[in-house]
Amino acid sequence: MMATVVASAPGKVHLIGEHSVVYGEPAIIAAISLRCTVSATRSESMRIWGRELHQTLEATPREWATSLEQACAIHRSCMQSKNFRPLFDLMKKKPMNLPLVASALVLEKLSVRTGANIKIRSDIPIGSGLGSSAALAVSMAKALSTAYCYELSSDEINRIAFEIEQFNHGTPSGGDNSTCCLGGLIWFEKRPPVNIIRQVEGAIPGNLSNFLLVQTRKREKKTGQLLQIVRDLPEDFRVVRVKILGRVTGEMFGALGRKDAATIKRLMNEAQQVLAELRVSTVEIDQLTEAIRRIGGGAKLSGAGGGGFVICFHEDRKRLEETIRGMGYSPCEVQLGVKGVRLEASA
Ligand code: PMV
């Protein structure tokens, strides 16, 4: 009997710096206590099951290799045209979806030409700004490589996860997969070929306990499509705002270190204003963040936007919770700064 390997990786939340991080500005991102778990058993062909997949995906080695080749070719041409719509259309086609391309890419990197029985379980809401795809990419790379007896370093897992993220998002920064892989609180700057990634837990104020997450409407667009909205804005308009977000993120790092609540709130609100100008907020997010601003708090969308989660902060947690409930939402309790990818079991 082949051994089954189980690996899990956390989701993430952007304290600040989403979108601008894609253009080389910094972001501060925390790993959260919601995880994606992948179990993998070596097999002659590929069989992938997951609650969100609605059907079991099956592919022979030749089929998964062809799917991967096709995705790589389209990704290359999209990189040239800077228009990723053909890639997103392709990824929507069955069975060309993320779990299949992700598992194919991992096996291809390991020069394995067979497959695996894979089960995916995730408590990270999909497409809501909490890094569900990055956590899947990281846990898939860890589970499959371990099932095939490779001991990849965190750097190697992270690099493979980044390549997987490119199929889903076109031009991701690499911040999500780095946080899901390494865990903790991350200062991230996209600087290819070697990104700046620093674990900065020391700057967490009181375990980030006065931050609350709120889930607004499920978003209709994927991260890649929201990135495309920002990319399609007039360059001058975008560049100015990206720079502001970079400056605000730098100031946030100092404010977190000083536990300076007033500045943390002001910077969150400033970031939300700029993200709205970049067209990635929604009416619901604008209304919720405005209500929190009115009680003297800070709130902003988190991740790509277009719906999904909002991150809120107020020293008076009770008042913050009441305001969130008063707007018809439930505050979501998650721990920030948790451990990154890990093996759960191997039997
Ligand atoms: O919404 P998510 O979880 O996919 O986060 C996207 C974060 C962005 O900064 C918008 C993109 C990126 O790759 O950093």
Side-chain angles (χ1 to χ4, degrees), residues 214-328:
V214 181
Q215 185 166 24
T216 67
R217 197 156 40 102
K218 196 170 159 56
R219 68 188 190 205
E220 279 152 26
K221 293 191 166 61
K222 285 165 67 89
T223 297
Q225 292 169 303
L226 290 149
L227 292 183
Q228 188 82 39
I229 289 175
V230 177
R231 193 181 301 114
D232 288 345
L233 290 169
E235 194 172 344
D236 293 355
F237 181 90
R238 185 186 65 232
V239 168
V240 173
R241 283 159 183 83
V242 162
K243 283 262 163 284
I244 297 174
L245 288 173
R247 191 249 311 145
V248 163
T249 302
E251 285 180 35
M252 178 65 96
F253 183 71
L256 287 171
R258 296 192 305 277
K259 304 188 188 348
D260 174 352
T263 308
I264 292 171
K265 292 185 293 185
R266 177 177 57 76
L267 296 170
M268 288 175 80
N269 294 333
E270 197 176 337
Q272 169 59 26
Q273 165 75 35
V274 177
L275 288 163
E277 288 166 10
L278 290 175
R279 314 271 190 274
V280 292
S281 190
T282 63
V283 174
E284 284 95 342
I285 293 177
D286 290 345
Q287 287 168 345
L288 176 64
T289 52
E290 167 64 28
I292 291 168
R293 236 186 347 263
R294 275 203 306 268
I295 59 153
K300 57 176 276 297
L301 64 84
S302 183
F309 277 84
V310 165
I311 181 163
C312 316
F313 179 77
H314 202 300
E315 307 92 309
D316 186 342
R317 191 188 159 106
K318 193 157 166 280
R319 190 142 181 241
L320 180 58
E321 283 186 11
E322 278 165 11
T323 306
I324 292 167
R325 288 191 206 285
M327 294 294 291

Side-chain angles (χ1 to χ4, degrees), residues 12 14 18-19 21-22 129-131 169 172-173 176 219 223 227 303-304:
K12 59 82 213 182
H14 273 78
E18 52 277 269
H19 284 288
V21 68
V22 173
L130 297 187
H169 301 330
S173 61
D176 286 15
R219 68 188 190 205
T223 297
L227 292 183

Side-chain angles (χ1 to χ4, degrees), residues 316-343:
D316 186 342
R317 191 188 159 106
K318 193 157 166 280
R319 190 142 181 241
L320 180 58
E321 283 186 11
E322 278 165 11
T323 306
I324 292 167
R325 288 191 206 285
M327 294 294 291
Y329 298 102
S330 311
C332 175
E333 209 44 277
V334 294
Q335 206 189 322
L336 304 192
V338 304
K339 290 252 179 303
V341 66
R342 65 176 183 225
L343 282 179

